Amino acid sequence: MPEQPGKNAIEVRGVRKVFGTGENQVAALDTVSVSIRENEFFTLLGPSGCGKTTLLRLIAGFDFPTAGEILLHGQDIAPLPPYKRPVNTVFQSYALFPHMTVAQNIGFGLEMLGKPKGEIEARVAQMLKLVKMEALKARRTSQISGGQQQRVALARALGPQPKVLLLDEPLSALDYKLRKEMQIELKRLQHETGITFIFVTHDQEEALTMSDRIAVMSAGKILQVGTPRDIYDRPAERFVADFIGETNFLEGEVKSAADGSATVRLSTGAEIPASLPEGFTPSGSVTLVVRPEHAQIGPADANASLRGTVENVVYLGTDTHLHLKLDDGSAFIVRRQNSRGGGEALAPGNRVGVAIGPNAAQALKD
Ligand code: ATP
């Protein structure tokens, strides 16, 4: 299972990449280290310009690190040109040949590798089946839809059986519904082929849906690596908490901290437990993160962790978002799942309490 330590497909060790010189110098990657396991769906997630594509290009061999090394199955790949690396890339623009058929596009990479005709035919047939494009194999790629072009691009990249497939925002040109379908499809392809996928996106929902593990990047650094659940439930830093999903921040004073958990006193005087990022033991003031669905509405009495007034009630079908103004003036959102006839109806102006249960709060390093 991906959660268990496995063999590493790729190890990025202390990699730095600087573009430009003097005043125009940009550290696109500022000393990045990460290990990506064999047979893993690994996602690089971060906002535009954080260095995701740069890291992918270094792994592919389209560019070279300023410092550091990249190992593939334990071997330094620096001396290998891109075409000799057992790595293939699917780009955002699929870069298909419009005058060639679906089957010719899929076979192209294999032809370039000088594979025998029979082997190419067998492999193309296998790939057409894998991406469910057998019926359209004789069509030109200029005559198929965006989603179908995406499948052909994937089949072409998977054809030569790379050890690692790099995917640079491959779904961004597709509409919402097709993107959702392709997310499931990509996960299936990764599972069926057993190839390590390194997927780049700035879409947190996409990353949470597909990945075994996610690396969250900002300004040329990797801030946190973990399973989708780790990243969502246990963000280590404010940037990660804010970038992934909706969240509430609370300030408090640490009363005690040991063995991965702390007791934190809030401004209301309530003392609540909070989990701690690995290797972090805070003292003094600390910021906590509480996801809106991990807090509960209750009476505004002395037992409540927080107290405030409902400012806005937003009904979203599956759940309702309650926007509160806490008594210290800060904002707080509670998300309640809807059920037929269930839950007390709340309206702006109502006084409420908020209960923060034992596993709801996480302390942040910054
Ligand atoms: P996006 O999601 O917008 O593609 P990204 O996270 O992939 O962004 P990169 O393309 O890796 O980001 O760029 C990281 C930083 O390096 C940016 O500040 C970018 O402007 C800079 N950069 C990238 N390539 C070059 C280059 N060839 N020359 C100069 N600067 C570059």
Side-chain angles (χ1 to χ4, degrees):
M1 288 300 289
E3 280 75 15
Q4 291 160 1
K7 279 198 204 153
N8 288 329
I10 298 272
E11 280 172 63
V12 176
R13 291 189 182 163
V15 165
R16 224 178 121 68
K17 178 66 188 177
V18 178
F19 289 110
T21 52
E23 275 182 14
N24 297 324
Q25 211 174 61
V26 184
L29 291 174
D30 192 0
T31 321
V32 164
S33 295
V34 64
S35 297
I36 298 163
R37 297 170 194 150
E38 275 181 11
N39 192 9
E40 183 167 46
F41 198 122
F42 192 90
T43 297
L44 301 171
L45 171 68
S48 181
C50 72
K52 309 179 295 287
T53 299
T54 302
L55 184 52
L56 221 55
R57 287 175 54 82
L58 296 182
I59 296 171
F62 301 136
D63 214 334
F64 297 99
T66 310
E69 56 182 2
I70 299 173
L71 310 185
L72 189 121
H73 296 289
Q75 299 283 316
D76 186 355
I77 51 174
L80 293 182
Y83 65 93
K84 287 216 172 139
R85 298 186 183 196
V87 169
N88 230 340
T89 309
V90 178
F91 299 98
Q92 189 174 338
S93 62
Y94 315 131
L96 297 174
F97 302 112
H99 58 283
M100 285 189 194
T101 65
V102 164
Q104 285 166 342
N105 265 279
I106 297 173
F108 183 78
L110 297 163
E111 267 177 42
M112 289 295 105
L113 291 171
K115 299 283 179 202
K117 197 162 176 277
E119 188 184 323
I120 296 177
E121 275 171 14
R123 188 75 188 141
V124 168
Q126 210 181 349
M127 289 298 103
L128 282 165
K129 188 157 181 250
L130 186 71
V131 299
K132 302 179 181 149
M133 285 290 289
E134 293 130 302
L136 296 178
K137 66 181 179 189
R139 278 262 185 100
R140 288 192 180 182
T141 52
S142 54
Q143 294 163 349
I144 58 175
S145 75
Q148 290 162 345
Q149 287 178 21
Q150 175 63 85
R151 284 166 199 273
V152 177
L154 277 165
R156 188 176 62 177
L158 289 167
Q161 292 176 294
K163 296 254 191 300
V164 177
L165 189 69
L166 307 175
L167 302 114
D168 194 356
E169 308 231 17
L171 308 183
S172 56
L174 306 178
D175 67 41
Y176 181 79
K177 193 159 173 282
L178 199 51
R179 206 158 69 223
K180 291 270 139 206
E181 277 172 32
M182 284 307 293
Q183 286 172 8
I184 307 294
E185 190 69 10
L186 274 179
K187 190 88 189 116
R188 176 186 71 85
L189 283 175
Q190 191 272 327
H191 193 74
E192 281 183 18
T193 58
I195 292 171
T196 303
F197 277 30
I198 308 180
F199 186 88
V200 159
T201 184
H202 59 265
D203 181 333
Q204 46 108 5
E205 195 189 322
E206 195 159 276
L208 293 175
T209 309
M210 291 194 289
S211 317
D212 292 319
R213 289 191 307 150
I214 300 170
V216 182
M217 295 184 69
S218 169
K221 289 184 187 302
I222 291 182
L223 302 183
Q224 189 171 353
V225 179
T227 62
R229 189 169 275 269
D230 285 341
I231 298 280
Y232 185 80
D233 282 350
R234 305 262 179 261
E237 298 187 30
R238 183 181 280 265
F239 180 91
V240 178
D242 218 11
F243 194 71
I244 316 270
E246 205 169 19
T247 200
N248 295 297
F249 294 108
L250 293 172
E251 303 302 324
E253 288 293 317
V254 178
K255 297 289 290 176
S256 63
D259 302 330
S261 69
T263 301
V264 177
R265 189 180 166 89
L266 304 177
S267 63
T268 54
E271 291 185 3
I272 62 166
S275 53
L276 299 172
E278 211 178 308
F280 177 61
T281 310
S283 59
S285 43
V286 72
T287 303
L288 304 180
V289 41
V290 178
R291 297 292 184 190
E293 66 277 22
H294 296 160
Q296 279 85 40
I297 293 288
D301 60 19
N303 292 325
S305 310
L306 303 165
R307 285 172 289 277
T309 307
V310 177
E311 286 218 304
N312 227 329
V313 179
V314 183
Y315 175 77
L316 289 165
T318 53
D319 49 29
T320 298
H321 289 195
L322 299 160
H323 293 253
L324 313 180
K325 185 171 186 181
L326 299 180
D327 290 348
D328 67 2
S330 61
F332 196 93
I333 301 176
V334 178
R335 186 182 303 159
R336 293 206 299 188
Q337 198 170 359
N338 292 327
S339 61
R340 281 199 172 190
E344 164 207 6
L346 286 165
N350 288 159
R351 289 281 297 159
V352 290
V354 177
I356 297 176
N359 293 314
Q362 158 90 356
L364 298 175
K365 285 190 196 167
D366 60 346

